[in-house]
Amino acid sequence: MTLDPDIILIDDDASVLEACCQVLELEDFKVSPHGSVTSALIGLRADSRAVIVSDVRMPDHDGFDLVAAVRKIDQDIPIILMSGHGDIPMALRAMRDGAWDFLEKPADPVHLIETVRRARDHRRLLLENRRLRLSVDDDGWETRLIGHSAPMVALREKLKRIAAAATDALILGETGTGKEVTARAIHDFSGRKGRFVAVNCGAIPETMLESELFGHEAGAFTGAREKRIGKIEYADGGTLFLDEIESMPLAAQVRLLRVLQERVIERLGSNVELPVDMRVVAATKADLHAAAKKGDFREDLAYRLDIARVELPPLAQRKGDVGLLFQHFLGLAAKRQGRTPPRVSAELLAELDGRSWPGNVRELRNVAERFVLGLDDRADVDRAAAGGETLEVQMDRLERAILLDSLARNDGRVGATADALGISRKTLYLKMRKFDIAAQSDGEPG
């Protein structure tokens, strides 16, 4: 076997094996050719980056045997089957069992190269995501704040220094960039033994915010029947996270400033000063200094908070991270739903990577959730494993996908598509009507 090949090519026909090998090697793929499944599987490892391209019918083992054997090693290794027209039903069954794609023989060289390249890119992304999940660096930051883009690498290095320092921090970032996730990471890796206490300043009514933060004594105001411990006191020994700090009323800002300076609090209705040992991490999507100039935020508090500033990059600036995050969120969503993680095409990953993502990581996570639930039209969900559908329904779904793919490859031309699939135009039209696929006018005679 070629050392660390891109493609493991299997075909018992020596002439076909040589021809396919030449086509792929001309595109700079490292190919390991084999005349049998048994030979190809020798030395195959779960961490192999290879894509398997194989004939369906061979003397020793068929496509089913190949898929079953590879799935025991690593169920995520892409297997592309090549089959003659008479073997298409077998290839479809093998796909349902876990094969990645199939091509009809003789395979069109351009289509073969495109399919292999997509499968290879998918495999590389999956291995990278797997490595990321299993990686354990000195402190685990990489598994908490996922991403290998330059902005994320720099962010993790800065956060390591901040977490180790005994100082408050200010996190700036657009909506959905992960401000609370970042604050929790700072707390978890700071060594502080107390609680992480989160307060959304914009979600608490102004009349209740001071009581929520500082607590109150019984009888401090109408309705205060008993003593209440506030969030600041509750965070003693730990971290107080103040989200949307720009929404805090000015009166509460005055009291918070004193807490930050003196590290003592007074509950409402009390004259007793209580010492507190906590780190404050504030988060905002606004420029606090600009808000201070408008009179909407206290300038002294803005400077007091802005000691260790962390600016979270928007997802659109994190090139290369979208695919990793999407696969990560797919795994989490599938686990919550008790489903098998769906297969994701390289085309979809490229499309996701090119989006502007105004909702940032939160928006991407929601897309992954919908994808797992099958609520996204692009979802290629393995419903055979997840939904318990009948064989007929699963086969219909697969057949419709094949028709759409073939029509797309042939620019919607019915005649060319029928020829490519080896069926008559009438049969193709009937199948398109069955699956509600609109026909395009291609100028061909009826």
Side-chain angles (χ1 to χ4, degrees):
M1 178 182 288
T2 300
L3 183 64
D4 200 17
D6 296 312
I7 301 163
I8 296 174
L9 185 63
I10 312 170
D11 201 305
D12 62 321
D13 187 324
S15 60
V16 173
L17 188 67
E18 182 180 4
C20 288
C21 191
Q22 290 177 352
V23 167
L24 295 168
E25 287 180 339
L26 285 173
E27 294 296 318
D28 294 327
F29 290 110
K30 295 180 181 178
V31 183
S32 178
H34 297 271
S36 69
V37 171
T38 301
S39 170
L41 294 179
I42 296 175
L44 182 64
R45 307 184 313 274
D47 62 348
S48 171
R49 70 175 187 176
V51 172
I52 297 176
V53 180
S54 175
D55 189 17
V56 173
R57 288 188 182 274
M58 285 173 290
D60 59 342
H61 297 287
D62 60 19
F64 300 116
D65 298 328
L66 173 64
V67 171
V70 172
R71 284 177 69 88
K72 290 180 180 179
I73 299 171
D74 184 345
Q75 63 179 359
D76 294 319
I77 293 176
I79 302 174
I80 300 169
L81 298 175
M82 297 188 298
S83 64
H85 177 66
D87 295 331
I88 288 179
M90 177 185 291
L92 294 178
R93 288 178 59 196
M95 283 185 67
R96 193 178 66 249
D97 287 350
W100 200 78
D101 203 347
F102 85 91
L103 304 173
E104 190 172 357
K105 296 175 68 174
D108 174 65
V110 174
H111 187 48
L112 172 62
I113 292 167
E114 291 176 350
T115 304
V116 168
R117 184 171 287 122
R118 289 197 303 269
R120 181 199 61 181
D121 292 345
H122 173 83
R123 177 63 177 170
R124 286 182 175 178
L125 179 62
L126 187 143
L127 288 175
E128 179 67 11
N129 191 42
R130 185 183 294 173
R131 187 201 68 78
L132 183 62
R133 289 183 181 181
L134 296 177
S135 67
V136 179
D137 53 7
D138 291 341
D139 41 33
W141 279 94
E142 194 172 343
T143 60
R144 294 290 296 274
L145 296 169
I146 296 173
H148 287 168
S149 62
M152 287 304 293
V153 172
L155 174 64
R156 285 195 295 267
E157 289 302 314
K158 186 172 187 177
L159 289 173
K160 290 176 186 179
R161 296 193 298 271
I162 292 175
T167 183
D168 298 330
L170 178 64
I171 302 174
L172 285 78
E174 298 176 3
T175 298
T177 48
K179 293 187 285 293
E180 183 167 349
V181 172
T182 303
R184 284 184 179 274
I186 291 174
H187 169 73
D188 290 345
F189 296 121
S190 68
R192 299 187 69 86
K193 304 301 183 182
R195 304 177 184 87
F196 177 86
V197 180
V199 178
N200 189 319
C201 300
I204 302 173
E206 183 174 345
T207 54
M208 297 176 57
L209 183 61
E210 288 196 53
S211 173
E212 188 75 14
L213 286 174
F214 302 96
H216 61 257
E217 298 290 345
F221 51 84
T222 303
R225 295 186 177 87
E226 55 186 28
K227 180 177 70 174
R228 186 181 191 281
I229 301 298
K231 297 293 188 182
I232 296 176
E233 190 176 347
Y234 192 60
D236 186 32
T239 300
L240 177 68
F241 174 57
L242 299 174
D243 197 9
E244 298 187 30
I245 187 70
E246 73 277 8
S247 303
M248 180 176 285
L250 291 173
Q253 291 181 34
V254 175
R255 297 195 65 178
L256 176 62
L257 180 61
R258 181 168 183 266
V259 172
L260 294 177
Q261 292 172 336
E262 306 295 336
R263 283 331 200 222
V264 295
I265 64 164
E266 292 179 14
R267 300 187 193 121
L268 296 180
S270 173
N271 294 321
V272 177
E273 292 186 343
L274 301 172
V276 287
D277 171 23
M278 63 175 177
R279 161 181 261 165
V280 174
V281 178
T284 178
K285 58 180 177 292
D287 184 335
L288 296 185
H289 298 288
K293 290 180 180 179
K294 296 179 182 178
D296 297 331
F297 200 85
R298 288 189 61 91
E299 186 175 24
D300 47 3
L301 179 58
Y303 281 110
R304 183 62 183 77
L305 291 170
D306 196 4
I307 299 174
R309 178 189 296 196
V310 179
E311 297 187 20
L312 302 184
L315 187 55
Q317 295 180 8
R318 298 171 54 182
K319 295 302 180 185
D321 287 348
V322 171
L324 288 173
L325 287 165
F326 188 64
Q327 295 280 11
H328 173 70
F329 292 144
L330 282 182
L332 294 178
K335 185 176 181 179
R336 284 196 303 273
Q337 300 296 333
R339 303 188 178 197
T340 300
R343 190 182 72 187
V344 183
S345 68
E347 293 89 345
L348 175 57
L349 290 174
E351 189 267 322
L352 293 175
D353 197 51
R355 284 197 194 180
S356 59
W357 297 109
N360 292 292
V361 178
R362 184 180 299 149
E363 181 184 358
L364 178 62
R365 183 167 191 153
N366 291 341
V367 170
E369 190 82 32
R370 291 196 298 271
F371 196 88
V372 168
L373 294 173
L375 302 178
D376 190 315
D377 291 339
R378 297 161 304 184
D380 182 17
V381 182
D382 184 3
R383 291 178 174 83
E389 294 175 337
T390 65
L391 176 61
E392 182 180 0
V393 171
Q394 295 173 41
M395 293 296 288
D396 282 350
R397 189 189 307 283
L398 189 55
E399 187 175 5
R400 185 177 190 275
I402 293 168
L403 293 175
L404 288 170
D405 180 66
S406 187
L407 284 164
R409 292 204 309 269
N410 290 284
D411 299 321
R413 292 176 295 142
V414 173
T417 301
D419 291 341
L421 294 175
I423 59 178
S424 67
R425 288 167 59 97
K426 180 178 180 181
T427 299
L428 179 57
Y429 273 120
L430 290 174
K431 290 182 178 295
M432 291 169 66
R433 183 182 303 171
K434 173 184 177 182
F435 297 118
D436 194 26
I437 300 173
Q440 298 180 16
S441 176
D442 55 13
E444 297 174 347

